Structure formats: structure tokens, C-alpha cells
Amino acid sequence: MRIILLGAPGAGKGTVASALHEKYNIAHISSGDLFRENIKMETPLGKQAYDYISRGDLVPDSVTIGMVEERLSAPDCSKHFMLDGFPRTLAQADSLDRFLAESNREIEAVVSLLVPDELIMKRISERRVCVSCAAGFSLTFNPTRVEGVCDHCGGQVIQREDDKPETVLSRLRTYYEKTRPLEEYYRARGLIIEIDNSKGLQPTMIDLECALRDRDIEFEGKS
Ligand code: ADP
Ligand code: ZN
């Protein structure tokens, strides 16, 4: 399967993508995680992205598109991948179409994760992340066994700088302005699958897997 996960910050794109990755070993490409890795490694790309991310603005397309397209060129993405956090602008979406066409690939579905605004604010404020392996946790839904320590790798678990309330509002504003229009863009092509992600991961996974099967999108026993 080749899908895009769309949704506001905190809608659960990363959680759903991680669950599908665990279950079916489909490549999970998170632009946010790619940026955070680059920032941690202090690469030139990380240095370019840092200020935008800490303000809650989008990193310019000129930086973002190349980074994601490079990742999509890796062998593990040749047939199956999930994009989480990309595209976020119409220019990114256009570029993605052209890039995939060069290798005879196309997006098969765009999953729009729906969550009411109140829940988004609550989820983001409770979200924690491992600085070493990027695993996500929540203070209420899936807390770490030991406070501040990653269950998977023992790394340090913290609140992302841009998950603090000052920055969240600006990220939400950016989402409505720049990313929301992508819904219409993909809806016009019949690609949108709407999934309610306000009831927890299990019901979301059941709805999503049904919708993917309905559309004959390959994901189980994929090779
Ligand atoms: P969330 O999904 O919770 O908003 P992400 O980890 O996807 O968080 O993104 C964190 C930040 O990284 C964004 O606020 C933005 O600054 C930057 N970013 C991620 N993806 C993109 C993208 N496709 N285009 C531009 N900036 C991006
Ligand atoms: Zn970890």
C-alpha cells in the first residue's frame, strides 16, 4: 500500500502509522521524525529546519521535499509506504505526484484522521516522545512503565519543545491555512478515506483495515 495520513497535529498520524508498521512492516515515513533526527545529528538540514519547527511554522518546501523524496527512493519504499506529516502544502503534493510517477508509483489512498479540536489540545499536552527511538507515549493512554524512560530502548522520554502550548496554537493555525486544503485536492481525486480517531487505536485500526480492504489496497502479507 502507498498511503498518506492526513490530520491536524495530534490527530494520531504517528500512532496509527507505527501500529501499521508493527503489524505489517510497512515503511513509515514521518517528515517530523526525519527533521528531528537531522536536528539531533546537527546536520546542515537540521540547522535550516530548527527555527521554523520551534516557531510552529512549516519548514520551506525547498528543504522538505528533497528530504522526503530521498527517503522514498530507499528500497523499503519501492512498493509500500505510509507518509505521515507529508505532504503539508499543495506544492509538496504536486511534487510528490510527479516524483512517484517517475517510478510508476502512485498514492492509493489518503487517510484523513478526524479528531475534535478539544481532544487535540488535550492529546498534545499529554504527548511525550523518546529522544532516542522516537517512540510516542501519552501520560494517560500509554504512559511509560518508568517515568521519563522509554519502554523500548531505555532512552529519555520528554515533551517535544513544539508541543508546549505557545507553539501548538501556531501549529494548528498553520495546519488550517496550509494543509487543510489538501483534503479537497485529494477528495476531488476520490482518494480520501475518513476515519474517526477519537475512540482509541483499536477501533481506528479496525475501521482503517476494512476501508483498505474495500478498496483492494494490498497490505496484508505484502511482499
Ligand atoms: P505533528 O504531526 O504533531 O504536527 P510533526 O512531527 O509531523 O508533528 O511535525 C513537527 C514539525 O515539523 C511541524 O510543525 C513543522 O514545523 C515540521 N514539518 C513536518 N513535516 C513538514 C512538512 N511536510 N512540511 C513542512 N514542515 C514540516
Ligand atoms: Zn526509545
Side-chain angles (χ1 to χ4, degrees):
M1 74 168 170
R2 291 176 296 280
I3 65 170
I4 293 169
L5 292 154
L6 264 190
K13 303 181 292 288
T15 307
V16 170
S18 298
L20 282 167
H21 173 77
E22 291 271 295
K23 205 163 163 189
Y24 301 108
N25 197 30
I26 293 160
H28 169 195
I29 304 171
S30 157
S31 46
D33 286 348
L34 291 173
F35 282 130
R36 283 184 287 276
E37 266 164 42
N38 275 281
I39 291 171
K40 197 167 80 180
M41 306 301 284
E42 298 180 9
T43 67
L45 189 148
K47 287 185 185 131
Q48 275 178 292
Y50 180 79
D51 287 338
Y52 296 98
I53 294 181
S54 44
R55 284 198 302 268
D57 288 341
L58 293 183
V59 179
D61 290 340
S62 55
V63 177
T64 308
I65 291 172
M67 175 185 76
V68 174
E69 291 182 351
E70 187 187 330
R71 177 68 187 87
L72 279 170
S73 305
D76 65 327
C77 301
S78 62
K79 284 203 187 116
H80 302 273
F81 59 78
M82 300 170 279
L83 282 166
D84 155 13
F86 183 93
R88 260 176 156 98
T89 63
L90 286 165
Q92 290 178 11
D94 269 339
S95 172
L96 175 67
D97 284 338
R98 276 181 275 121
F99 174 80
L100 291 176
E102 285 168 17
S103 52
N104 292 311
R105 290 177 292 178
E106 62 192 357
I107 294 297
E108 296 172 292
V110 177
V111 177
S112 169
L113 292 176
L114 306 174
V115 170
D117 278 353
E118 317 83 78
L119 198 53
I120 282 180
M121 296 303 284
K122 178 174 150 63
R123 280 191 186 167
I124 293 186
S125 69
E126 294 179 348
R127 172 156 77 180
R128 296 294 181 270
V129 58
C130 172
V131 291
S132 303
C133 75
F137 297 93
S138 158
L139 294 182
T140 50
F141 301 111
N142 63 332
T144 52
R145 284 192 289 268
V146 179
E147 200 186 317
V149 180
C150 177
D151 291 355
H152 310 289
C153 78
Q156 192 191 5
V157 172
I158 58 155
Q159 179 171 48
R160 264 165 52 182
E161 206 52 49
D162 64 339
D163 276 350
K164 301 197 168 143
E166 315 82 87
T167 319
V168 171
L169 283 178
S170 108
R171 282 166 57 207
L172 281 171
R173 209 173 307 122
T174 306
Y175 165 74
Y176 282 110
E177 249 171 56
K178 308 255 171 70
T179 307
R180 203 57 195 284
L182 289 180
E183 285 239 3
E184 280 321 305
Y185 175 87
Y186 288 118
R187 196 182 302 283
R189 286 161 48 182
L191 289 175
I192 291 278
I193 297 175
E194 285 186 335
I195 303 279
D196 171 13
N197 190 31
S198 65
K199 310 232 154 45
L201 185 58
Q202 281 325 310
T204 296
M205 292 292 283
I206 292 168
D207 288 352
L208 179 53
E209 290 182 6
C210 279
L212 294 171
R213 276 189 210 107
D214 279 350
R215 290 177 175 236
D216 285 326
I217 295 173
E218 233 184 298
F219 65 98
E220 295 155 300
K222 54 107 203 162
S223 55

